[in-house]
């Protein structure tokens, strides 16, 4: 009965978020509060459990990076990069989109997709404002590219960290097994965007001429502050890359970086904190509590167990189910808590596999499906929610369905290509 109640509350809340009939922050707060009142979440543990509660690593990673980005923004570097990108692409919309997607996809495996979006999205908004074109298609394309590119490494996408920890997979394992699929899928995606976003490509010669006449170096308002900020940012990036070696969570690295950035910039704390996307952080916390209700009452585990039990000993069918099932469920339940909940189920199936190679293939099928499922809806992955929050704050609102109608198409395409990759590499 409790499982049905949790599922009903989640589905009603998801309906209001998807239809935008109510503010999404209000929806998740009411829904999570209702789950708490009805005893559908694990009490105080919701504040301490990563699997059945708020994932503070995600929250504080976002908060730290929001502070860092807010300070860097004061140097004018985003305007500099925007003018540079516009001039390099000569204002041609498809060329500009490919350039921004490539930067995003290359950075995501190193920085992680959320951090990359927080750095690239402000640049995108500025360049689109300069060219007098709608920023929404470019931001959506970047998020899709970030989620695809981030799948290539252990640290590129939060679900990969969970899978790597559970399966004992290393950074190099992800590079060898995930990166080849990601490269092919991203290349296909770049070609596909020409058709997918064709109605959004606008070219205004007069505005392009204005931008081409600008001197990007003049956009830098404080060169000395920029140098100090870049040194700190470089340290943060290095910390992200070494977190598995030094055993320090990315959230801690981001918080330390934010503190050092405040010191070296001598910034006004109140002004910097006003740049933080507080509604986005609150939305994430409420969403984590809602999903915790589904986990605590056994909804997600029941779905995963039922799906895998019906497959029997057919491991190729199991791999197929993991690719497409994870892409589908991850799109609706947020791929981070979905992976955290389903990983133990997959581990049990892998342990029963007769061949270690087959067992490892199941892990890669699971990772590919979950990562690409992050593109499925506007709330399927952290990067999606962050980008939508940044867009809204800067006057470029992206609705749930505006994002999702593109995301579903890309998720289906990516999942099919991922399934073909798993089949050809591990089962033929």
């Amino acid at each position: 009965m409790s499982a049905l109640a949790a599922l009903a509350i989640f589905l009603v809340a998801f309906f209001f978020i998807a239809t935008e009939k109510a503010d999404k922050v209000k929806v998740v707060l009411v829904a999570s509060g209702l789950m708490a009142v009805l005893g559908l979440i694990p009490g105080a543990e919701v504040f301490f459990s990563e699997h059945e509660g708020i994932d503070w690593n995600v929250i504080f990673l976002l908060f730290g990076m929001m502070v860092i980005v807010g300070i860097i923004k004061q140097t004018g570097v985003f305007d500099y990069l925007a003018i540079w990108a516009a001039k390099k692409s000569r204002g041609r919309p498809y060329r500009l989109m490919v350039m921004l997607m490539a930067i995003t996809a290359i950075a995501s495996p190193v920085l992680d997709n959320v951090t990359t979006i927080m750095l690239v999205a402000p640049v995108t908004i500025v360049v689109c404002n300069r060219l007098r074109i709608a920023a929404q298609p470019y931001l959506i394309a970047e998020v899709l590219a970030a989620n695809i590119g981030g799948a290539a490494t252990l640290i590129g996408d939060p679900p990969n960290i969970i899978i790597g920890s559970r399966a004992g997979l290393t950074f190099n394992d992800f590079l060898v097994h995930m990166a080849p699929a990601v490269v092919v899928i991203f290349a296909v995606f770049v070609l596909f965007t020409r058709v997918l976003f064709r109605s959004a490509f606008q070219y205004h010669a007069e505005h392009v001429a204005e931008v081409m006449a600008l001197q990007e170096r003049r956009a830098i308002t404080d060169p000395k502050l920029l140098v100090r900020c870049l040194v700190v940012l470089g340290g943060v990036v290095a910390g992200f890359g070494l977190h598995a070696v030094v055993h320090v969570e990315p959230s801690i690295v981001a918080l330390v970086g934010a503190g050092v950035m405040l010191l070296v910039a001598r910034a006004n704390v109140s002004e910097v904190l006003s740049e933080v996307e507080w509604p986005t952080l609150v939305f994430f916390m409420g969403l984590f509590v809602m999903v915790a209700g589904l986990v605590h009452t056994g909804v997600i585990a029941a779905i995963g167990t039922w799906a895998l039990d019906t497959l029997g000993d057919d491991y190729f069918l199991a791999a197929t189910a993991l690719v497409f099932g994870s892409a589908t469920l991850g799109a609706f339940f947020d791929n981070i808590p979905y992976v955290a909940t389903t990983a133990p189920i997959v581990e049990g199936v892998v342990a029963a596999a007769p061949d270690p190679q087959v067992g490892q293939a199941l892990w890669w099928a699971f990772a590919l499906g979950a990562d690409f499922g992050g593109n499925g809806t506007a709330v399927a992955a952290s990067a999606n929610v962050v980008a939508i929050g940044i867009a809204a704050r800067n006057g470029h609102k992206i609705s749930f369905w505006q994002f999702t109608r593109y995301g579903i198409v890309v998720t289906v395409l990516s999942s099919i290509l991922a399934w073909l990759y798993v089949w050809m590499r591990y089962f033929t």
Side-chain angles (χ1 to χ4, degrees), residues 103-116 146 149-157 171 175 234 236-243 250:
I103 292 171
T104 305
I106 292 170
S108 290
V110 180
L111 293 178
D112 85 61
N113 49 12
V114 177
T115 303
T116 301
T153 67
L154 175 67
I155 62 172
D157 205 5
F171 188 91
L175 276 180
V236 171
V237 172
F240 287 157
L242 295 172
H243 86 93

Side-chain angles (χ1 to χ4, degrees), residues 50-72:
E50 291 183 5
H51 302 305
E52 293 188 10
I54 299 171
D55 191 336
W56 293 109
N57 285 320
V58 173
I59 300 299
F60 284 116
L61 170 64
L62 294 175
F63 173 75
M65 290 308 302
M66 286 174 182
V67 171
I68 290 172
V69 170
I71 296 173
I72 293 176

Side-chain angles (χ1 to χ4, degrees), residues 57-387:
N57 285 320
V58 173
I59 300 299
F60 284 116
L61 170 64
L62 294 175
F63 173 75
M65 290 308 302
M66 286 174 182
V67 171
I68 290 172
V69 170
I71 296 173
I72 293 176
K73 183 179 178 181
Q74 298 174 4
T75 67
V77 70
F78 292 144
D79 284 298
Y80 170 88
L81 292 172
I83 295 170
W84 175 84
K87 293 176 75 171
K88 283 293 181 182
S89 66
R90 306 193 69 82
R92 297 294 177 183
Y94 178 64
R95 190 182 301 172
L96 176 63
M97 180 176 282
V98 171
M99 181 183 296
L100 293 171
M101 287 192 303
I103 292 171
T104 305
I106 292 170
S108 290
V110 180
L111 293 178
D112 85 61
N113 49 12
V114 177
T115 303
T116 301
I117 286 298
M118 294 188 67
L119 293 173
V120 177
V123 176
T124 304
I125 290 171
V126 173
V127 70
C128 290
N129 288 342
R130 291 276 189 180
L131 294 172
R132 310 292 201 280
I133 56 178
Q136 291 90 334
Y138 296 86
L139 290 170
I140 293 171
E142 285 169 6
V143 173
L144 300 176
N147 288 331
I148 292 172
T153 67
L154 175 67
I155 62 172
D157 205 5
N160 287 2
I161 299 174
I162 298 171
I163 293 171
S165 175
R166 174 70 66 168
L169 300 170
T170 67
F171 188 91
N172 288 338
D173 288 331
F174 273 84
L175 276 180
V176 171
H177 292 273
M178 295 283 282
V182 168
V183 170
V184 173
I185 291 170
F186 178 71
V188 174
F189 170 63
V190 169
L191 296 175
F192 189 55
T193 54
R194 182 80 182 193
V195 177
L196 190 63
F197 294 100
R198 63 186 181 280
S199 61
F201 294 142
Q202 302 172 6
Y203 180 81
H204 305 293
E206 64 279 14
H207 300 313
V208 173
E210 292 174 10
V211 173
M212 295 299 291
L214 295 173
Q215 297 296 320
E216 55 264 39
R217 291 185 178 277
R218 294 182 180 177
I220 303 296
T221 57
D222 192 334
K224 292 182 179 179
L225 174 60
L226 176 59
V227 171
R228 295 198 296 269
C229 288
L230 290 178
V231 170
V232 176
L233 180 61
V236 171
V237 172
F240 287 157
L242 295 172
H243 86 93
V245 177
V246 298
H247 304 294
V248 176
E249 291 293 332
S251 56
I252 302 299
V253 174
L255 286 175
V256 172
V260 174
M261 191 79 82
L262 284 168
L263 290 175
V264 302
R266 303 182 184 89
N268 184 300
V269 176
S270 298
E271 290 181 5
V272 173
L273 290 180
S274 68
E275 293 290 328
V276 173
E277 302 284 341
W278 296 109
T280 299
L281 297 180
V282 175
F283 175 75
F284 266 118
M285 287 185 273
L287 186 62
F288 278 130
V289 174
M290 285 169 55
V291 175
L294 298 180
V295 175
H296 186 64
T297 57
V299 173
I300 293 180
I303 294 172
T305 302
W306 170 81
L308 292 172
D309 284 348
T310 59
L311 301 175
D313 296 328
D314 190 332
Y315 290 99
F316 174 64
L317 188 59
T320 301
L322 282 171
V323 171
F324 292 106
S326 297
T328 302
L329 293 174
F332 289 96
F333 296 125
D334 187 310
N335 59 3
I336 296 175
Y338 165 75
V339 167
T341 306
T342 311
I345 302 171
V346 178
E347 186 177 29
V349 177
V350 170
D355 183 351
Q357 183 176 352
V358 171
Q360 196 173 71
L362 296 179
W363 281 119
W364 300 127
F366 181 40
L368 288 166
D371 287 343
F372 297 145
N375 279 332
T377 67
V379 297
S382 304
N384 310 9
V385 179
V386 169

